[in-house]
Amino acid sequence: MRILALIVVLGLFATTWPSITRAADQPPSATVTTLHEERTAKQTGRYATMLQGIALATFGTGEIEGNVGPADWEKALEIPHIRVKFAEPQVIVLNVVSGDFHGEKAYAVSEFIVPTAISAGSPIARVGDEYYSFGKWNPRILLLLKDVIGIVD
């Protein structure tokens, strides 16, 4: 019985190991950069993963959709922020208010910015050639950044 269990475990290991090593060889699904104290830094490894998760969780709290333009995007790049740029657009669903519409709305997001200076603005997403800001967002999740790498402004 022990030999049979060992064979099963080895078989599972042998079938999953190639997919684990292939995943490690793949380029990341997103590039994460931060702007803090006027320095832009590309985040890698576990910090990139944690910051992407914190930024996405924060972005997901936005409730009021507003159309903005490229100038607003450029302005957002100048304030302290986390920027997540996906290798391929990712569908992100938010519960939003937009004009007369109220409910879930899906966006094929190419990249998004979450300000880390809480009073500096709202999260902004680039969806193709369009830009959306999301007001009435909850910045409390950003407090996790202080624990991760100490970059809450």
Side-chain angles (χ1 to χ4, degrees):
M1 188 63 148
R2 287 183 184 172
I3 292 176
L4 179 61
L6 179 62
I7 291 171
V8 169
V9 169
L10 288 175
L12 287 173
F13 181 74
T15 58
T16 58
W17 181 253
S19 63
I20 292 170
T21 56
R22 264 195 314 274
D25 293 340
Q26 297 295 320
S29 61
T31 302
V32 179
T33 56
T34 55
L35 175 64
H36 179 65
E37 296 178 352
E38 299 182 8
R39 285 189 6 216
T40 299
K42 181 179 178 183
Q43 302 297 326
T44 59
R46 68 184 279 250
Y47 288 116
T49 300
M50 288 188 287
L51 287 171
Q52 180 179 346
I54 292 168
L56 184 58
T58 303
F59 178 76
T61 67
E63 293 182 30
I64 300 175
E65 176 194 270
N67 286 48
V68 295
D72 298 299
W73 179 265
E74 294 301 321
K75 185 177 177 183
L77 290 173
E78 296 173 4
I79 61 172
H81 66 267
I82 302 170
R83 180 182 187 181
V84 177
K85 186 174 185 177
F86 296 110
E88 296 289 329
Q90 300 294 306
V91 175
I92 297 175
V93 179
L94 300 177
N95 190 25
V96 299
V97 175
S98 178
D100 292 335
F101 177 80
H102 183 262
E104 288 189 347
K105 187 172 178 182
Y107 301 86
V109 176
S110 301
E111 59 185 315
F112 67 92
I113 298 170
V114 172
T116 55
I118 294 168
S119 62
S122 297
I124 296 179
R126 186 169 66 84
V127 179
D129 293 333
E130 297 180 359
Y131 299 87
Y132 298 94
S133 71
F134 296 92
K136 198 176 174 188
W137 61 291
N138 187 343
R140 285 183 285 180
I141 298 169
L142 292 175
L143 294 175
L144 294 170
L145 295 176
K146 190 169 184 90
D147 295 334
V148 175
I149 56 176
I151 66 165
V152 170
D153 292 311

